[in-house]
Amino acid sequence: MASEVRQRAKAQSASPLGPLGIEAALEAKANPSIQPRPKIFDEFALTDRVAVVSGGNRGLGLEMAIALCEAGARAVYCFDLPEEPSEVFVASREYVSKLGNDSRLEYFAADVCDQQLLWKKVEEIGDKEQRLDICVAAAGILKPHIECLEYPADVFREVVEVNTTGVLFTAQAAGRQMARFGRGGSIILIASMSGSITNRDHAWVSYNSSKAAVLQMARSMACELGEKRIRVNSLSPGHIYTQMTAAYLDKQPHLLDKWSGMNPLGRLGRPDELRGVVTWLASDASTFCTGSDIIVSGGHHSW
């Protein structure tokens, strides 16, 4: 009976990379002809995979897209509102072309709030690449602080439309292709620590609400798509200095020290400090992780 259970459990969740860790050690013990080699980096490799990244023209989205390329993705398709990519995107695309791993960084213009356009564009990517494995929904906007009792309806709707509805439409577009090709996949919704805490000094009611909705969206989609081997997780950064937050901080320089002092590390985060976790979530190193929120906040929640 115990042997049967072990065999069923192994068959249920066998690694596509073959035996790993202890299992690999025991196999090598039983067969001295096997030459052990490190496999941990194989687990993180994204060789031949295809990804879409919203908000990928700059900032966190572009930073994550480059990381996926460095991990070996065949192509990473970034999209954003501008018809033409930014200079920093063009420089990043050139950088990726010189990595020597045949990875491609591509760009197309699209509004995350246009559901049918996104579905169509990502379907075209599926037709061209014949697979879709990774989605990073990173597009988002941030508005100046307005007292919650005075918050205008149009501003609230705009933030929620981009930060919540746009995330859903992006995840849908990618998930439809993942289901179509039957290989499973990883959908990563970029939320914020603001989705699970209240920022007392800058309580952006629309931003906090939209990001909280993304956390629940990831859990709900994970439950529904698990049987299709599509994993859905959220990634919640803390205070990161990007072009988006710079527009807010540069006008109120006193907030730099204040925000820096709100976590045990005593500083803001860098965009590149999210590279490792997004690559992990996209890769086979995290195949049992779904419905989770990964917080990268310098320990902000610890206080």
Side-chain angles (χ1 to χ4, degrees):
M1 180 66 73
S3 175
E4 179 185 345
V5 170
R6 280 196 297 271
Q7 291 302 316
R8 286 174 58 197
K10 287 178 66 175
Q12 193 181 67
S13 57
S15 167
L17 297 172
L20 301 169
I22 293 173
E23 190 177 350
L26 293 176
E27 183 183 70
K29 174 71 173 176
N31 184 356
S33 67
I34 293 176
Q35 176 59 50
R37 67 175 185 82
K39 285 189 176 180
I40 186 66
F41 296 112
D42 293 348
E43 295 178 66
F44 284 87
L46 301 177
T47 307
D48 204 37
R49 298 188 193 184
V50 177
V52 292
V53 179
S54 69
N57 192 40
R58 62 179 191 176
L60 295 184
L62 180 55
E63 190 74 61
M64 294 173 182
I66 293 172
L68 300 180
C69 289
E70 289 187 26
R74 178 203 302 173
V76 179
Y77 288 83
C78 297
F79 65 94
D80 219 319
L81 277 175
E83 284 298 319
E84 297 297 328
S86 65
E87 289 185 11
V88 69
F89 181 90
V90 172
S92 300
R93 182 169 58 195
E94 182 179 350
Y95 172 81
V96 165
S97 71
K98 296 177 180 178
L99 291 175
N101 63 356
D102 295 324
S103 187
R104 303 181 342 257
L105 192 60
E106 307 279 5
Y107 182 83
F108 66 92
D111 183 348
V112 293
C113 300
D114 189 334
Q115 184 188 51
Q116 294 304 312
L117 175 62
L118 279 191
W119 288 13
K120 179 176 181 293
K121 289 282 192 180
V122 178
E123 183 177 13
E124 289 172 357
I125 292 170
D127 290 342
K128 177 181 178 180
E129 304 289 350
Q130 287 299 296
R131 66 185 299 160
L132 199 292
D133 308 278
I134 303 159
C135 169
V136 181
I141 59 174
L142 179 65
K143 295 293 185 178
H145 167 62
I146 303 172
E147 294 293 337
C148 65
L149 298 183
E150 306 298 327
Y151 214 94
D154 58 338
V155 177
F156 187 89
R157 291 191 182 104
E158 181 185 4
V159 173
V160 172
E161 182 74 359
V162 175
N163 291 1
T164 304
T165 308
V167 167
L168 172 63
F169 292 168
T170 302
Q172 285 179 323
R176 287 164 63 88
Q177 298 309 305
M178 292 173 183
R180 170 189 172 192
F181 292 111
R183 292 190 179 93
S186 175
I187 297 174
I188 305 160
L189 310 183
I190 306 304
S192 167
M193 69 173 185
S194 297
S196 54
I197 64 169
T198 299
N199 296 312
R200 291 176 297 171
D201 63 321
H202 48 285
W204 300 301
V205 64
S206 60
Y207 185 79
N208 292 353
S209 300
S210 65
K211 293 304 185 180
V214 169
L215 301 185
Q216 185 57 46
M217 185 190 301
R219 291 192 287 265
S220 179
M221 293 188 75
C223 293
E224 190 170 342
L225 297 178
E227 63 183 20
K228 301 181 186 297
R229 295 188 299 118
I230 299 172
R231 299 183 293 110
V232 187
N233 294 286
S234 55
L235 170 56
S236 291
H239 293 309
I240 309 287
Y241 191 79
T242 64
Q243 279 185 282
M244 185 170 74
T245 57
Y248 192 82
L249 285 166
D250 292 351
K251 295 176 182 177
Q252 302 181 72
H254 69 282
L255 287 179
L256 176 60
D257 291 334
K258 188 169 186 178
W259 288 10
S260 297
M262 294 176 74
N263 67 65
L265 295 182
R267 64 176 177 85
L268 300 188
R270 303 188 310 270
D272 63 88
E273 290 179 300
L274 298 172
R275 285 161 49 91
V277 68
V278 78
T279 302
W280 172 70
L281 284 172
S283 74
D284 289 340
S286 63
T287 45
F288 200 51
C289 182
T290 195
S292 295
D293 180 43
I294 310 302
I295 300 172
V296 184
S297 68
H300 190 110
H301 282 61
S302 302
W303 285 358

